[in-house]
Amino acid sequence: MDERDTQVRMTLGDGMTVPFERAAPVRPFPVYKVQRNFPGFYYAATMDAHVPFESWLERDTAIALDFHYDVVSIAAQPFWLSWSGTGRARSHAPDFFARTLEGTGVVIDCRPTDRNLASRPHAALRRDDAGLGGDRVSRLLCVGDRVLFDDIEHQVVALAGTQVRLVAADGTPSVVLLSHLVGSLGFMFLSGEPAPAANALAGQLLDDVAPELAARAREWERHVVEVETGLPPEAAPGARPRPEYDPQARTVRERDAAKAAELTAAGVATSATTVKRMRMRYRAEGLRGLVDGRGRKRSTPLGRSDARVVQAVREALDGETSRSTGTVDRLRRRVEAILAERHGAGEVALPSRATFYRLVNKLSAGKHTFGAAATRRSAATGRTDRSPRAGRPGRAGRCRSTRPRWTCKRCSTTVTPAASS
């Protein structure tokens, strides 16, 4: 389309010099109710402009192009390709056109070459470089892959949307954008094939979980993977998904509802909302996210407070016994000093102020740390009566000097006897 919105046709050779990176889309991006795809606009910092997309796959491709160091401009569906085939005229509008630093134009289609993504149960989004850096990413990124990122070997332990969770060889975790990962210098796969699904996620052993809860989590993993990809993890190579779980024919909501109906028919009452929630947990945490939370929580009187902080608070509370009554803020400063002296400045982080107040309230119960000094010292020594006691004959003592009073039950009259001379 030219600047007058008039369609221009030319041969492929003549179009090589056209700046398609500045062209407007040749067709609109419709938006309507009950739409199965997800159109929208992505703000590309490379051009300081919005790039339209028709699906999340196109959106993530636009993100990858925007982050790529060799791309200077992007355009969405800037031209039609027309040709004759199978006895009739055919046409196609490529998804993106990108211009590189060297001036090369790259035409990109986001449709995967392998339409049957269900054959890769733990597959992430695909990014074909299509000339932008070679075939460094020529297949799907999967959980369990070992990759080289920032010159350090990492393992992919979780995938959530466009984010990839990595764990280095020394156990250091990190989360990066998929586009940033595959576009980084030196990125490469270190393993030819993903690790088996049963051992794909690092740290996913369930040895600390009750056997029945672990078995239930693994059963949920089988159902979740089938909903996400169409095939369960143990499916044989070349297997086809069941019709109700085919990603090419059913939306994810329909697959959630089908799985809920299947589990309910098997005697486990389940709703589509529960299936969706388990899918989200599996994406974020892996197998451990499917364990019943009641089996993972280990409640303690002090919650999840750092043992070093608890010990420092106890020592600070003991030191307040002989001091004048202070405030919680003064106690917090004392705790910080103890931790810095014992573990080094900044090594142990204090909890938030509200959490610290709750911890102090639990540890100072019955000590009267912030009450009257006399009461606090009495509680520390175990004495509740400050009067001297006569431990032997002849020792000076003290007794109450208040005169007794008598009340008549019949008329409720109180009588105080006169002091004796």
Side-chain angles (χ1 to χ4, degrees):
M1 308 287 289
D2 61 12
E3 58 273 7
R4 300 186 185 89
D5 290 338
T6 304
Q7 190 178 76
V8 179
R9 296 177 64 90
M10 62 183 65
T11 65
L12 204 60
D14 295 337
M16 298 299 289
T17 59
V18 177
F20 289 113
E21 67 274 12
R22 296 199 296 269
V26 294
R27 65 181 183 86
F29 293 78
V31 179
Y32 50 88
K33 290 186 177 180
V34 298
Q35 192 169 2
R36 296 184 63 176
N37 58 312
F38 298 91
F41 291 89
Y42 167 72
Y43 172 76
T46 300
M47 307 176 302
D48 191 20
H50 286 87
V51 178
F53 59 84
E54 287 187 297
S55 66
W56 285 350
L57 182 58
E58 290 187 14
R59 178 203 62 181
D60 294 313
T61 303
I63 294 175
L65 293 172
D66 189 26
F67 273 81
H68 201 286
Y69 56 87
D70 201 28
V71 173
V72 296
S73 188
I74 314 166
Q77 300 189 1
F79 55 83
W80 287 100
L81 287 173
S82 303
W83 71 97
S84 297
T86 64
R88 62 186 180 91
R90 307 180 69 88
S91 61
H92 172 66
D95 293 318
F96 290 105
F97 180 89
R99 185 71 68 181
T100 66
L101 283 171
E102 294 80 7
T104 304
V106 182
V107 181
I108 301 170
D109 259 320
C110 298
R111 183 178 310 221
T113 54
D114 181 10
R115 290 294 301 271
N116 185 18
L117 296 181
S119 62
R120 301 293 293 275
H122 300 279
L125 301 174
R126 177 188 179 93
R127 177 197 164 198
D128 282 325
D129 277 297
L132 300 176
D135 2 327
R136 290 181 301 156
V137 184
S138 57
R139 65 175 180 82
L140 300 175
L141 182 67
C142 306
V143 171
D145 277 328
R146 292 185 300 110
V147 297
L148 190 65
F149 175 59
D150 286 346
D151 297 328
I152 301 175
E153 180 182 342
H154 293 79
Q155 184 181 23
V156 179
V157 297
L159 299 166
T162 59
Q163 293 183 336
V164 182
R165 184 171 299 175
L166 305 173
V167 173
D170 59 357
T172 304
S174 59
V175 177
V176 297
L177 283 173
L178 174 63
S179 55
H180 178 65
L181 174 65
V182 300
S184 61
L185 293 174
F187 171 80
M188 63 179 298
F189 284 100
L190 299 179
S191 53
E193 289 295 331
N199 302 319
L201 294 178
Q204 294 297 296
L205 298 178
L206 302 180
D207 297 341
D208 58 333
V209 178
E212 60 274 11
L213 295 180
R216 183 61 179 161
R218 294 189 178 95
E219 183 64 21
W220 261 114
E221 181 183 31
R222 178 183 177 278
H223 295 311
V224 166
V225 171
E226 185 174 18
V227 172
E228 288 276 10
T229 67
L231 291 174
E234 69 276 6
R240 301 291 299 174
R242 291 188 282 173
E244 61 270 27
Y245 299 116
D246 189 353
Q248 305 298 329
R250 303 286 183 177
T251 65
V252 68
R253 288 187 178 181
E254 292 172 339
R255 302 199 299 272
D256 286 342
K259 179 57 69 175
E262 177 186 338
L263 292 175
T264 302
V268 182
T270 309
S271 65
T273 303
T274 300
V275 177
K276 178 182 178 181
R277 184 173 66 251
M278 300 303 281
R279 286 195 299 105
M280 295 300 103
R281 287 184 181 178
Y282 188 69
R283 286 186 181 183
E285 305 178 47
L287 180 59
R288 295 193 69 87
L290 303 179
V291 178
D292 192 332
R294 292 169 293 183
R296 292 189 295 168
K297 294 180 181 178
R298 297 182 177 180
S299 59
T300 61
L302 302 178
R304 296 190 294 266
S305 301
D306 192 325
R308 297 169 294 181
V309 175
V310 173
Q311 182 62 27
V313 171
R314 293 185 189 275
E315 294 183 16
L317 289 174
D318 292 341
E320 292 291 319
T321 302
S322 58
R323 303 179 66 184
S324 60
T325 303
T327 62
V328 181
D329 286 338
R330 188 180 79 176
L331 182 73
R332 184 182 177 91
R333 292 192 294 271
R334 176 58 183 157
V335 171
E336 288 179 344
I338 293 175
L339 292 175
E341 179 182 357
R342 184 165 302 166
H343 305 286
E347 290 296 324
V348 181
L350 281 179
S352 65
R353 189 171 298 274
T355 304
F356 184 81
Y357 274 45
R358 290 193 295 268
L359 178 62
V360 170
N361 286 337
K362 292 179 181 179
L363 293 177
S364 63
K367 296 184 177 181
H368 303 278
T369 303
F370 308 103
T375 306
R376 180 169 63 254
R377 295 179 185 122
S378 297
T381 58
R383 293 179 56 184
T384 57
D385 185 7
R386 301 295 296 175
S387 303
R389 304 187 181 190
R392 62 182 183 276
R395 182 176 178 180
R398 186 172 65 186
C399 63
R400 292 181 178 272
S401 60
T402 305
R403 288 173 289 175
R405 296 183 301 175
W406 291 274
T407 301
C408 179
K409 293 184 178 180
R410 181 173 298 177
C411 60
S412 300
T413 302
T414 302
V415 178
T416 302
S420 57
S421 57

